[in-house]
Every structure is written in C-alpha cells, then in structure tokens.
Amino acid sequence: MARTFDVVILGAGAAGMMCAARAGQRGRSVLVLDHAKAPGEKIRISGGGRCNFTNIHTAPQNFLSANPHFAKSALARYTPRQFLDLVERHNIAWHEKTLGQLFCDDSARDIIRMLLAEMQNVGVKLELQTQVTSVEKTDAGFRVETSSGAVETSSVVVATGGKSIPKMGSTGFAYEIASRFGLRIIETRPGLVPLTLDPAMLERLSPLSGIAVPAALHHGKTVFREALLFTHRGLSGPAVLQISSYWREGQDIRLVIEPDVDVAASLKQARKANGRQAVQTALSTVLPKRLAQFFVEAQAMTGTLAELPDKAIDRLAAAVGDWTIRPAGSEGYRTAEVTLGGVDTSGLDSRTLQAKNVPGLFFIGECVDVTGWLGGYNFQWAWASGVACGDAA
Ligand SMILES: Cc1cc2nc3c(=O)[nH]c(=O)nc-3n(C[C@H](O)[C@H](O)[C@H](O)COP(=O)(O)OP(=O)(O)OC[C@H]3O[C@@H](n4cnc5c(N)ncnc54)[C@H](O)[C@@H]3O)c2cc1C
C-alpha cells in the first residue's frame, strides 16, 4: 500500500529543504526524496566551502529570466534579512565579504545542519538514495513511484535543481517532469561559467595564465567590474563568470583592464619623472609584470618612455583599456555554477510557484527560469522560492 503525505518534495537541496521546513511549520506532513547520499551537496561545496548564502543587495535586477518580473513577488516576501535572522537564530557566525555577499565564518555545512534542524523540528521525513521513477496525476492528487515504493500526495514540489555539475548528480529531471505535465521549457545553458578561447588566442595569451587583475567586462550594455583571471583554458574570475550568463556563442566581450587607473596619465607622469625607464617597467607599476610585457610586445613598443610620443602612449593605454575578445565557448555544465533557462515562468503562479494548469504541482529553485548573478543571489532565490511554495503547498 502506498504511503501518504500532504507534500512530497523531490530534491533535498537549498530550495527543497527550505520549502520542507516551511510546509512542516504549517502542520503539513512532508516527505523529501533525494537520489544523493547526502542532502545539500551544492550548499556544501558553495562559496569555496563557506557558502555565500545570500546577498544583502538582492533585487529583481540581479536575476536573468525571460520574464524579469516573475521573481519579484517571492523575493519581496522573503528577504536576505529574514534568512540572516534564521542564520543568527542558529548561532551561525557569518561575515560580509564584498559587494553585500554574506558567508559563513566556519563552514557551509552549518547551513545544511540548520536546514536539517528546521526540518526535524517540524517532523519532515527525509529519504536519501531514493530514485523517483514517475510522477502521475490521480483523482486525489499525485502518485510518486520511487525505488522504495509508491507515495500518494496532494502536492508535489519539484526542487531537483539544474544541469550544472553533472558529476554531483544533476540530471535535468525537473525539465522532464515539467514537459510531461505540459509546461514549456526555456532553453537551458550553462551560466556563471569560465569562457574558453580558440587555440590561436589561447597560445597568444598563454603567458598570462594565472594572472588576476581588476577589470570591467562589457557585453552590450551589461557591465561587471570585478576580478578577471587568465587561465590555461581561457578566461575566468568573477567578472567573467558574471558576463558568461549574458554572453552567447559568436559574440564579443570588451575588457577594460584596471578600469580605475588612468594608464595614459600614469605613463605620461612616469615619463616626466624618469624618461629613461623602459616602457614595460613603467607599465608594470600599474599592471602585473607579465601583463605589462604582453601589452608592450603586442604594441611592438621598445625603448624608453622618453622616446614615446603622446600618441604612442595613448595607443598603449587604449590597448589596456579597450580590448575586444571573442570567446570560443564556455567550459559547459561541467564547471558552470548554475543553469540558465528552465521551467518557463509563464506556466507558474509567481506567488506560490504552482503550475497554473496542474494544481498541486510546484517548481522551485534553480530548475525555474530565474537565474541570479554570482554573489549569493542564487541561494536567495532558492530560499525565497522555497518559502513561497512552502507557504502554499
Ligand atoms: C561550485 C558551486 C558553487 C556555488 N556557490 C554558490 C554560492 O556561494 N552562492 C550562491 O548563491 N549560489 C551558489 N551556487 C549556486 C547554488 O548552489 C544553486 O543555485 C542552488 O544550490 C540551487 O538550489 P536548488 O535547491 O534549486 O538545487 P540543488 O541545490 O542543486 O538541489 C537539487 C537536489 O535535487 C537532487 N536531485 C537531482 N535530480 C534528482 C532526481 N532525479 N531524483 C531525486 N533527487 C534529485 C540533487 O541530488 C540535489 O540534492 C554554487 C553552485 C556551484 C555548482
């Protein structure tokens, strides 16, 4: 005989666990199923092991979606401050790193323990290493077939995340269920991912591998000012991960290296102070040495500063401050932090995350076509969508 629960949640990740605790607080009987060995594996590895669990500046414009208005309702009803209150109630020490990004002082595992405690307090049942084989609509609700038997429920919440990092068990399962129930999928692609370069460009830039430098990366009107990292595969670092969510194959990105430094002015100043120094030496005072060498060689500049007319200095500064690159591709889901696209929000109610045409079926977290910037926004969406759904499912 099938067991019965009010709510069955597929996926014990950030969104699923938050939703489970919230539904449990309303007195609903809740079962959370996950095929993994442990809950919240992505939380565990997030933020370099310290989980950037929210961003105090969270606003709808920090998210990408075919419908930029969709996330507003859930984000407004569960704010970063509310999540922080929860973190503080559990005595988890935290700090702000930069740009409003909040991290655990000790370990991301503190957040997992907190969510598990919240679930346990209200009697949520968690079953791991359980395969979900089918979800069918019945007269009374849904029947979920699993490797440990069938479960009947009035609400099914799909919280199985996106496709990123397949070796951690990401499957795209949510999109299959959504399609089966007639919901549309916005084409998925890797987001917050390093970009790769073609072999010729890679060879040119290979001496720069390992260099990190402040940069402004432009893609159309979108600009991110954060660190840029040259790697042996191409470009990475926060600025690149951010821009990767906007970039498409065949498009250019514009790099402004050291956007807060007036390179031309500092070279001219250096020429006045000591014209006998080599151009490369002078440029090395504002750029990492290897990067300075790269630009000087690329502009075929030799000799001392005194030998350089203003025009040549301006040309060198322009190369540093206005560099257009066409990435060959991205590293793909293998290293992407998130999946862009997903369950089309036009089929979901923005207050509850319930499928408009399938009462009782909900989609939350990363599987929905709402993707945050780097910096704690994706977890804030997971918490907020989990709460919105947990209050309704
Ligand atoms: C390396 C890395 C670092 C990150 N760092 C940050 C950060 O610091 N801050 C931030 O905001 N975001 C970060 N993110 C993004 C963040 O982890 C995700 O946006 C967030 O985890 C999404 O939550 P979710 O609950 O929707 O999905 P997930 O957390 O992915 O959870 C989905 C769950 O569903 C389970 N599942 C999947 N398929 C099935 C199936 N078929 N049957 C049963 N269970 C299934 C999975 O095992 C998993 O437990 C990072 C991501 C990565 C990869």
Side-chain angles (χ1 to χ4, degrees):
M1 230 202 43
R3 293 182 293 161
T4 306
F5 286 86
D6 294 330
V7 184
V8 172
I9 299 175
L10 311 182
M17 289 198 281
M18 192 68 175
C19 178
R22 199 73 179 202
Q25 285 158 18
R26 288 172 45 238
R28 305 280 277 164
S29 62
V30 183
L31 172 66
V32 182
L33 300 171
D34 202 299
H35 63 183
K37 275 195 191 133
E41 280 292 89
K42 280 207 178 144
I43 301 175
R44 183 177 59 78
I45 61 159
S46 68
R50 291 222 160 83
C51 186
N52 177 192
F53 55 77
T54 192
N55 191 300
I56 50 173
H57 303 309
T58 301
Q61 52 270 30
N62 307 121
F63 295 84
L64 292 87
S65 171
N67 176 3
H69 301 293
F70 181 81
K72 284 181 181 170
S73 170
L75 291 173
R77 282 179 297 123
Y78 192 77
T79 63
R81 182 67 245 179
Q82 283 167 287
F83 189 76
L84 193 53
D85 288 344
L86 180 63
V87 166
E88 289 180 337
R89 275 203 302 281
H90 284 259
N91 297 315
I92 298 172
W94 60 274
H95 62 280
E96 180 181 347
K97 202 167 170 189
T98 173
L99 303 169
Q101 302 168 4
L102 307 191
F103 285 78
C104 297
D105 281 1
D106 297 325
S107 165
R109 290 176 197 271
D110 288 340
I111 299 291
I112 302 174
R113 279 193 283 268
M114 174 187 86
L115 294 167
L116 289 173
E118 288 286 307
M119 283 163 48
Q120 214 170 11
N121 280 345
V122 290
V124 171
K125 197 160 171 34
L126 170 63
E127 293 180 2
L128 299 167
Q129 293 181 282
T130 303
Q131 306 298 325
V132 177
T133 47
S134 75
V135 178
E136 303 296 338
K137 187 92 191 74
T138 62
D139 291 341
F142 298 87
R143 186 180 171 88
V144 179
E145 296 287 348
T146 80
S147 51
S148 54
V151 190
E152 307 230 310
T153 181
S154 52
S155 296
V156 169
V157 179
V158 184
T160 50
K163 293 181 181 171
S164 10
I165 324 261
K167 75 167 192 275
M168 293 191 75
S170 310
T171 52
F173 184 61
Y175 316 127
E176 275 172 47
I177 299 186
S179 303
R180 213 171 324 129
F181 282 96
L183 280 94
R184 290 195 324 167
I185 305 296
I186 302 288
E187 188 195 353
T188 57
R189 53 197 181 88
L192 301 180
V193 63
L195 297 175
T196 56
L197 298 170
D198 65 43
M201 183 65 129
L202 203 54
E203 197 182 330
R204 247 190 90 210
L205 300 192
S206 64
L208 306 182
S209 179
I211 292 176
V213 69
L217 262 66
H218 297 246
H219 174 268
K221 287 189 180 142
T222 308
V223 188
F224 288 98
R225 291 166 83 102
E226 287 184 64
L228 158 71
L229 174 69
F230 295 91
T231 72
H232 63 286
R233 287 205 189 88
L235 304 174
S236 189
V240 172
L241 300 188
Q242 298 282 31
I243 218 77
S244 74
S245 294
Y246 292 83
W247 175 83
R248 301 285 183 121
E249 270 76 6
Q251 296 177 338
D252 291 336
I253 53 174
R254 196 161 74 82
L255 277 55
V256 179
I257 308 283
E258 287 286 5
D260 297 321
V261 174
D262 187 338
V263 174
S266 45
L267 289 179
K268 286 172 191 169
Q269 181 62 35
R271 184 179 56 185
K272 215 154 124 197
N274 175 11
R276 278 177 307 175
Q277 62 184 315
V279 187
Q280 196 181 310
T281 313
L283 193 58
S284 299
T285 62
V286 289
L287 294 185
K289 212 167 152 193
R290 278 184 286 145
L291 196 54
Q293 181 181 355
F294 171 82
F295 280 117
V296 168
E297 285 175 5
Q299 296 300 314
M301 283 185 183
T302 50
T304 65
L305 275 181
E307 289 159 358
L308 281 193
D310 278 1
K311 243 167 92 178
I313 287 185
D314 292 341
R315 183 158 52 88
L316 181 58
V320 177
D322 188 2
W323 188 7
T324 298
I325 287 188
R326 178 165 298 184
S330 83
E331 289 188 6
Y333 291 117
R334 190 179 61 79
T335 60
E337 284 201 11
V338 286
T339 302
L340 291 151
V343 178
D344 186 354
T345 59
S346 67
L348 302 176
D349 178 78
S350 64
R351 274 193 72 77
T352 60
L353 284 299
Q354 183 167 208
K356 287 177 183 164
N357 294 331
V358 192
L361 181 63
F362 298 77
F363 292 86
I364 58 172
E366 192 177 324
C367 69
V368 178
D369 172 35
V370 173
T371 307
W373 290 358
L374 185 78
Y377 302 101
N378 284 297
F379 278 136
Q380 188 56 36
W381 168 246
W383 317 135
S385 60
V387 165
C389 172
D391 285 348

